[in-house]
Amino acid sequence: MKQRIFKILLLSFAICLLLISIGALSACGVHVHNFGDYEILTAADCETNGEKARTCLRCGYQEKETILAGHNWSDFEIIQSAECEIKGEKKRTCSICNNEDIEVIPALEHIWSDYTENLPARCGVAGEKTRTCDLCSSEEKIEIPALTHVWSDYAETEAATCGKSGEKTRSCSLCNTEEKSEIPKLEHRWSDYTETSPARCGVAGEKTRVCELCSSEEKIEIPALTHVWSDYAETVAATCNKSGEKTRSCSLCHAEEKLEIPKLEHKWSDYTETLPARCGVAGEKTRTCELCKKVEKADIPALEHVWTDIKIIKEATCVEDGIRSVTCKLCSATLTSDVIPATGHTKASGFPLTEPTCESTGQNLNKCAVCGDSYREIVPATGHKYSDEFTIDKLPTLYEEGVQSRHCVNYKCNSRTDIQSVPRLISEAYFRIYVVHGEKNRPPKLPIVIIKNANGVQVASGYCFADDQGNYLFERRLSFGTYTVTLADVPEGFVHGEYTISEADGTYPYDTPDKYPSITIHLYSYLGQGSMPDGSKRKTVLNDFSFTTIDNDVVWLSDLLKTKKVVWLNFYYNACGPCQSEAPTIARLAQKYNDDLAVVCFNGKDDPASIRSGAASIFKYPDTFYFVDDRSAVYGKMFGRSGYPLNVFIDSGGYVFESVSGSNYSSQFDSFISNNLFETPPREDNAAAFASISACHVILPEKQRFTRKIEVDE
């Protein structure tokens, strides 16, 4: 009874739970979409996908789907039938766009009959056999190899002797042809040699041998004997004036040989002075041979005046010689017209009139510290300084070689050397794409590279990967042509441009990775006006920033880079000795590179009035400079200044290529600038996004940063 009651209660509890669940589901109001029919948003054609959508009739939610593009081809139609060894063609037509698709029908293969012998083969003569194609009745003839002779053994027909060869013969059992062969002559069988004439001193002898088969004789020479000489004996003694003689004899034939004894050397005594030397007059000395008493004379060099008692008649100047009188203490002679050479000018100051070039001299106008006169000084020509790397003067194409040479790196010099041809391009190459970023501005995730051809069709895409320098790299093998490169999935807050790579972007054969045609995409973060990471260092790609001059002009770095190839940032203050010492160099180079250089001077300690007066006295070339009051050290911190002076050099792509602190670099400033005068690429006028400043840059192997984009027809 109790069990029945418990089962009833349990069933009742389950029914209650079911009712509660149904009520909860009704309260949640779970919604199921009720879609209507699809509507065409964009119709698809043969090459471009379309799009369709359907809408939920209850909530209005819209669901989209892609309509795949594709041709509507007809059946293939035979244009030309295939024949033996001749290909055919068939085509089909799209009913939508009328495009034609033509395919090749493979050529038929011959169906050959068995070979029939036309001409039998013989010894040494080839035969012939023929077969015929059952489809096209073509004939094919091939050669039957000639038969080989079947020879008998050789039979001797004439015996060989010592003086004459013999003969042997064989015949072919197939065609009865005979073949004769020579039997070599026999070797002589010689007796021992017998001496027929003995050898003597200087005269050869003779010996003979005889052949036992044919009685032929052979004679050979016995070498002549050599004299056996005695020692030499003196027969005539030598003197200082006459040679002597000595003799020796041969103990075999008693022949004699005479030899000359050289004359003796004189045995001279010491020299004795016979006439003393005087000023300007030579003396004389003699010596005597102790053997033959011969006397030999020699000159004693004349004495030189020893001048004393010097009296100045006319003082020498910078440009004119002076005159003095002197007396010789040996002979008392007096000279009243002794020349005192002009001293020459002593340079006190100067400035260049004309700068020297590679091939022509320059000229300075100097002031003498002694006489105060101005004089001109010739400055030697600098001579050409050719780059170690080659520059492409004419780009190679698929059809024509290019030209490369080493250019002179001196400013405005167009000389070149080592002119060489560059091989034609190959039909395909790896294209390398770099995606670089500021030192403190690494994107949080990898961007996706999208490559489209000239018709806008995507041909490649994929994620970049990081290289050894922490930049992003993407490589793909493509046929030559023109392609557009963009980035997808770029994080919010980062900007970039659109870039083009073309056949002309490569300048070498692409057989090694360092020669792959490449582009660099600069990826910049937008941080706001004037903001950039503290302590930016050398080799940093800068974000755009602005500064306000002491004349209240607001200048953007991007505006300067639109017209200048190098921007020079100089950090100084008026009382800084090292800053003052390098100021003339800055002024001179600003004048030299006036069209290509902008100079910005950040003063960290002086007020605007002092900056203005110091600009005129220190730099002496203030009109084209930008002077900025940086007592708050905003820009000093921005570029990591720790002392004075600091000089920062920025090239046309916003790249800090040199940053030097201290006073030991002024001699290198000229080379810093001349080595980085890259051509400024086209720019968009957008100061907020510095990425827009950097258009397409093709990386060449010798300068892996900037150069201009070039388009070439294929």
Side-chain angles (χ1 to χ4, degrees), residues 565-612:
K565 298 178 182 178
V566 172
V567 174
W568 184 350
L569 309 183
N570 172 250
F571 292 83
Y572 82 108
Y573 63 93
N574 288 354
C576 170
C579 302
Q580 294 176 8
S581 66
E582 71 179 17
T585 301
I586 299 175
R588 178 176 63 83
L589 295 178
Q591 186 176 18
K592 178 179 179 180
Y593 298 105
N594 181 54
D595 295 336
D596 299 319
L597 176 67
V599 180
V600 184
C601 299
F602 294 96
N603 190 305
K605 294 189 178 182
D606 301 308
D607 58 41
S610 300
I611 294 174
R612 191 172 280 107

Side-chain angles (χ1 to χ4, degrees), residues 548-654:
T548 302
T549 69
I550 58 175
D551 296 320
N552 293 320
D553 294 326
V554 177
V555 181
W556 283 88
L557 174 64
S558 55
D559 291 334
L560 294 178
L561 294 180
K562 288 178 183 178
T563 58
K564 302 296 184 181
K565 298 178 182 178
V566 172
V567 174
W568 184 350
L569 309 183
N570 172 250
F571 292 83
Y572 82 108
Y573 63 93
N574 288 354
C576 170
C579 302
Q580 294 176 8
S581 66
E582 71 179 17
T585 301
I586 299 175
R588 178 176 63 83
L589 295 178
Q591 186 176 18
K592 178 179 179 180
Y593 298 105
N594 181 54
D595 295 336
D596 299 319
L597 176 67
V599 180
V600 184
C601 299
F602 294 96
N603 190 305
K605 294 189 178 182
D606 301 308
D607 58 41
S610 300
I611 294 174
R612 191 172 280 107
S613 61
S617 60
I618 297 173
F619 292 95
K620 298 183 176 63
Y621 193 75
D623 293 342
T624 59
F625 287 18
Y626 299 91
F627 287 95
V628 180
D629 178 2
D630 191 32
R631 285 177 292 174
S632 61
V634 170
Y635 299 98
K637 292 179 181 178
M638 187 180 295
F639 288 93
R641 179 188 57 74
S642 59
Y644 292 96
L646 169 66
N647 290 279
V648 179
F649 297 84
I650 305 167
D651 69 12
S652 58

Side-chain angles (χ1 to χ4, degrees), residues 289-307:
C289 175
E290 297 177 0
L291 300 177
C292 64
K293 308 304 180 184
K294 179 179 178 179
V295 177
E296 184 178 69
K297 296 180 179 181
D299 288 337
I300 300 173
L303 301 178
E304 294 186 0
H305 291 294
V306 180
W307 300 110

Side-chain angles (χ1 to χ4, degrees), residues 644-703:
Y644 292 96
L646 169 66
N647 290 279
V648 179
F649 297 84
I650 305 167
D651 69 12
S652 58
Y655 180 92
V656 179
F657 61 85
E658 289 293 348
S659 178
V660 292
S661 180
S663 58
N664 299 323
Y665 300 95
S666 58
S667 62
Q668 302 177 45
F669 289 163
D670 196 348
S671 62
F672 287 171
I673 298 170
S674 62
N675 291 340
N676 288 275
L677 289 176
F678 301 106
E679 181 167 338
T680 306
R683 307 182 184 282
E684 298 177 15
D685 189 11
N686 182 357
F690 190 74
S692 302
I693 298 172
S694 183
C696 175
H697 302 303
V698 180
I699 299 179
L700 296 180
E702 67 274 18
K703 290 285 186 186

Side-chain angles (χ1 to χ4, degrees), residues 85-332:
E85 298 183 353
I86 300 176
K87 296 178 181 179
E89 283 187 350
K90 61 181 179 179
K91 74 173 182 178
R92 60 179 180 175
T93 306
C94 176
S95 61
I96 299 174
C97 63
N98 294 324
N99 279 358
E100 291 184 345
D101 178 29
I102 298 177
E103 289 188 7
V104 174
I105 302 172
L108 300 179
E109 294 186 2
H110 290 292
I111 300 177
W112 297 108
S113 64
D114 295 332
Y115 280 105
T116 302
E117 184 178 75
N118 301 332
L119 181 66
R122 304 193 306 278
C123 290
V125 180
E128 184 182 78
K129 59 182 179 179
T130 307
R131 65 177 180 176
T132 306
C133 175
D134 294 338
L135 297 178
C136 62
S137 301
S138 297
E139 281 191 350
E140 182 180 69
K141 296 180 180 181
I142 64 172
E143 183 181 89
I144 301 173
L147 300 179
T148 304
H149 290 293
V150 180
W151 297 109
S152 64
D153 295 333
Y154 278 105
E156 184 179 75
T157 55
E158 185 177 351
T161 66
C162 294
K164 183 180 179 183
S165 59
E167 186 181 74
K168 58 184 178 179
T169 306
R170 66 178 180 176
S171 61
C172 174
S173 61
L174 298 178
C175 62
N176 299 320
T177 299
E178 284 192 347
E179 182 180 73
K180 296 180 179 181
S181 180
E182 182 183 61
I183 301 174
K185 292 187 295 184
L186 300 178
E187 295 285 337
H188 286 293
R189 188 182 300 170
W190 296 109
S191 65
D192 294 333
Y193 279 104
T194 303
E195 185 179 73
T196 53
S197 175
R200 304 193 304 277
C201 289
V203 180
E206 186 182 74
K207 59 183 178 180
T208 306
R209 65 179 180 176
V210 179
C211 176
E212 297 175 358
L213 298 177
C214 63
S215 302
S216 297
E217 286 190 348
E218 183 181 68
K219 297 180 179 181
I220 63 172
E221 183 182 88
I222 301 173
L225 301 178
T226 303
H227 290 294
V228 180
W229 295 109
S230 64
D231 294 333
Y232 278 104
E234 184 180 74
T235 54
V236 179
T239 66
C240 295
N241 300 315
K242 185 178 179 183
S243 59
E245 186 181 80
K246 58 184 179 180
T247 306
R248 66 178 181 176
S249 61
C250 175
S251 61
L252 299 178
C253 63
H254 307 293
E256 286 191 345
E257 184 179 70
K258 295 182 179 181
L259 189 67
E260 182 183 61
I261 301 173
K263 292 189 294 183
L264 301 178
E265 294 285 339
H266 287 293
K267 188 176 180 181
W268 296 106
S269 64
D270 295 333
Y271 276 105
T272 302
E273 184 180 74
T274 55
L275 181 65
R278 305 192 307 275
C279 290
V281 180
E284 186 182 81
K285 58 184 179 180
T286 61
R287 63 178 180 176
T288 305
C289 175
E290 297 177 0
L291 300 177
C292 64
K293 308 304 180 184
K294 179 179 178 179
V295 177
E296 184 178 69
K297 296 180 179 181
D299 288 337
I300 300 173
L303 301 178
E304 294 186 0
H305 291 294
V306 180
W307 300 110
T308 59
D309 194 17
I310 300 173
K311 296 180 181 179
I312 304 300
I313 298 174
K314 178 183 177 183
E315 292 284 353
T317 67
C318 296
V319 296
E320 293 185 354
D321 294 337
I323 301 176
R324 63 184 178 181
S325 67
V326 290
T327 301
C328 178
K329 71 176 183 179
L330 299 179
C331 65
S332 302

